[in-house]
Amino acid sequence: MASAKIGAGSVVELFIVDRRAAPMKKVEQLNALAGQGIEGDRYFLGTGTYSKKPQPGRQVTLIKSETLESLKDKFDITVKPEESRRNILTQGIEINDLIGTEFFVGPVRLRAHRITQPCLYLEKLLDQPGLYKELWDNGGISCEILSDGVIKERDIITALQLPLDD
């Protein structure tokens, strides 16, 4: 599968969880609150693993559906979208290219702070040997919410500035 350009993509599925280690639950929409997080999610509620070390870049996370498909196809590692522990499952956009930029998910403006590296906990929890290694640098991105709004499935993901073609 060819990699997508930075400028366009879409939301496939949405997830929240109210506390660490609890199963993520699929939702139809996310209520994003600027500077705070996703209403009802663990970092908004202060019950996440890193809640005692708050950072703006921990307000919402994204992961590519193509990454999860590739794990299955190339390495026979199965990770369901809700098992990835990310809020937004995307399609058709290279989210790692968004690091350091601002972009929109539907009507909500976000700033991508960093790649979210996997943890060995996830590999052990899912009993998927090799998951940690194969997700390294592909485990999603962590973002700050810059504007209030509702994110829904099929919303379009758009970068504010496209890179110049070489």
Side-chain angles (χ1 to χ4, degrees):
M1 188 176 241
S3 64
K5 291 202 176 211
I6 190 173
S10 63
V11 173
V12 178
E13 291 182 277
L14 302 165
F15 303 93
I16 62 169
V17 65
D18 60 1
R19 63 190 184 289
R20 68 175 174 210
M24 300 282 289
K25 74 175 186 179
K26 187 177 185 303
V27 294
E28 291 186 19
Q29 63 185 39
L30 299 177
N31 188 22
L33 299 173
Q36 297 179 63
I38 300 296
E39 195 171 56
D41 193 57
R42 63 198 180 276
Y43 289 105
F44 177 85
L45 299 170
T47 57
T49 301
Y50 300 102
S51 289
K52 290 185 171 125
K53 299 177 188 177
Q55 293 179 1
R58 291 196 173 120
Q59 295 171 3
V60 63
T61 55
L62 291 76
I63 192 166
K64 294 178 2 178
S65 60
E66 295 89 346
T67 296
L68 301 183
E69 291 164 12
S70 176
L71 287 171
K72 179 67 175 157
D73 295 344
K74 293 181 182 176
F75 308 105
D76 199 30
I77 296 172
T78 301
V79 179
K80 295 175 188 166
E82 64 273 16
E83 293 173 335
S84 73
R85 311 294 296 165
R86 304 292 179 253
N87 301 113
I88 302 173
L89 182 68
T90 70
Q91 175 180 297
I93 189 164
E94 280 300 327
I95 59 174
N96 285 8
D97 292 345
L98 296 171
I99 300 297
T101 72
E102 293 181 11
F103 62 102
F104 281 92
V105 177
V108 179
R109 190 171 178 157
L110 303 178
R111 177 180 296 125
H113 280 254
R114 69 184 177 287
I115 292 174
T116 307
Q117 299 297 7
C119 59
L120 283 171
Y121 169 78
L122 185 62
E123 180 176 306
K124 291 174 185 168
L125 177 72
L126 300 179
D127 193 23
Q128 295 287 338
L131 175 62
Y132 175 80
K133 177 182 172 225
E134 299 308 333
L135 266 188
W136 194 260
D137 285 342
N138 284 303
I141 62 173
S142 295
C143 304
E144 175 180 4
I145 300 170
L146 301 176
S147 68
D148 292 351
V150 176
I151 298 171
K152 298 177 182 174
E153 288 182 13
R154 295 183 299 285
D155 272 353
I156 300 301
I157 301 168
T158 51
L160 291 178
Q161 182 177 9
L162 295 173
L164 298 173
D165 289 334
D166 292 44

